[in-house]
Amino acid sequence: DYLHNTATMSSDDNLFPDSVKDFVFDLHDAARRSFIPSEEQSLYGSSFRELTAKYFPNTAWPSPAAIASECGNDKLFLALYNELTLRHLQSVKRPTVRDRVEGWTAYTQLFDLILEEAPKEGEDKEKLYLTPDWCFDILHEFLYQFQGFCQFRTTTYTAAAKVADDPDKHAGSHTSESLEVLSQHRDAWAVET
């Protein structure tokens, strides 16, 4: 569950600056209450980048669990925050097979929560506002990670097949670990045709 995931935590989750707390509170307000496009665009498009450059240039942002009190433990917002911060983390480090599976989990949770909260027939009340840029970035990163996972999976299976065809070769620990994680998470990035 992304609320308890420690893989993306920065080392001092409970000691992050007030400006980060304020950012999370304000972004939640813009996305879930005020629905002011210019405010959300400024937070998403500028403030996030500035805070990232200042506090988290090569590390993870605080975990969703660490910032949950800044958004009233709003599950949908926490899923959006998780996607945003995982996207940052994967841009500054090479993702492992576990990171790739975590990405899949983050996107399925996010999309499930969006669909859960979609207005029902006859409801007019807006529950969420995301700028077009933010929506595009979510979908773009989802497709990018899907493509990257497919390439990773193919490379891993190809390396394993080469080892299986040559009895004198041994699978490296990276390939063995990757095969193990892939076998445990067969549904990750699976596409039915």
Side-chain angles (χ1 to χ4, degrees):
D1 181 80
Y2 64 90
L3 289 176
H4 301 356
N5 188 348
T6 58
T8 60
M9 284 189 190
S10 62
S11 59
D12 295 318
D13 270 345
N14 297 320
L15 303 175
F16 47 91
D18 286 343
S19 57
V20 172
K21 293 177 186 178
D22 293 344
F23 166 79
V24 171
F25 181 87
D26 292 344
L27 187 62
H28 175 257
D29 185 65
R32 300 290 269 169
R33 291 189 190 107
S34 68
F35 305 132
I36 300 171
S38 59
E39 180 182 330
E40 186 174 297
Q41 184 60 44
S42 175
L43 290 163
Y44 174 77
S46 299
S47 298
F48 180 74
R49 287 187 184 105
E50 291 165 6
L51 290 168
T52 297
K54 185 173 184 177
Y55 299 113
F56 313 105
N58 298 307
T59 61
W61 271 68
S63 70
I67 60 92
S69 65
E70 301 303 321
C71 65
N73 207 22
D74 180 336
K75 287 184 180 183
L76 176 54
F77 181 79
L78 289 170
L80 287 162
Y81 173 86
N82 190 46
E83 186 280 334
L84 178 62
T85 58
L86 283 176
R87 187 174 356 131
H88 156 69
L89 187 59
Q90 290 202 7
S91 75
V92 298
K93 74 171 203 154
R94 183 177 178 165
T96 66
V97 66
R98 292 186 193 288
D99 294 333
R100 293 172 189 277
V101 170
E102 182 181 349
W104 169 254
T105 302
Y107 281 104
T108 57
Q109 288 175 339
L110 174 59
F111 294 148
D112 286 347
L113 287 167
I114 287 173
L115 290 173
E116 249 180 57
E117 289 205 20
K120 310 295 183 254
E121 191 172 326
E123 285 184 353
D124 292 337
K125 187 169 168 73
E126 294 294 323
K127 298 179 181 181
L128 174 69
Y129 177 80
L130 300 177
T131 62
D133 289 349
W134 196 354
C135 292
F136 176 85
D137 290 345
I138 289 170
L139 293 174
H140 182 267
E141 185 67 16
F142 172 76
L143 294 172
Y144 178 78
Q145 286 192 29
F146 172 75
Q147 182 227 8
F149 185 83
C150 289
Q151 288 175 336
F152 174 82
R153 183 178 51 202
T154 300
T155 302
T156 301
Y157 288 155
T158 301
K162 286 180 183 177
V163 169
D165 291 342
D166 186 349
D168 294 332
K169 286 188 176 180
H170 297 286
S173 62
H174 171 73
T175 300
S176 297
E177 178 190 353
S178 296
L179 286 171
E180 178 66 26
V181 172
L182 289 171
S183 70
Q184 292 172 0
H185 301 280
R186 291 186 187 277
D187 63 331
W189 300 102
V191 177
E192 295 182 25
T193 55

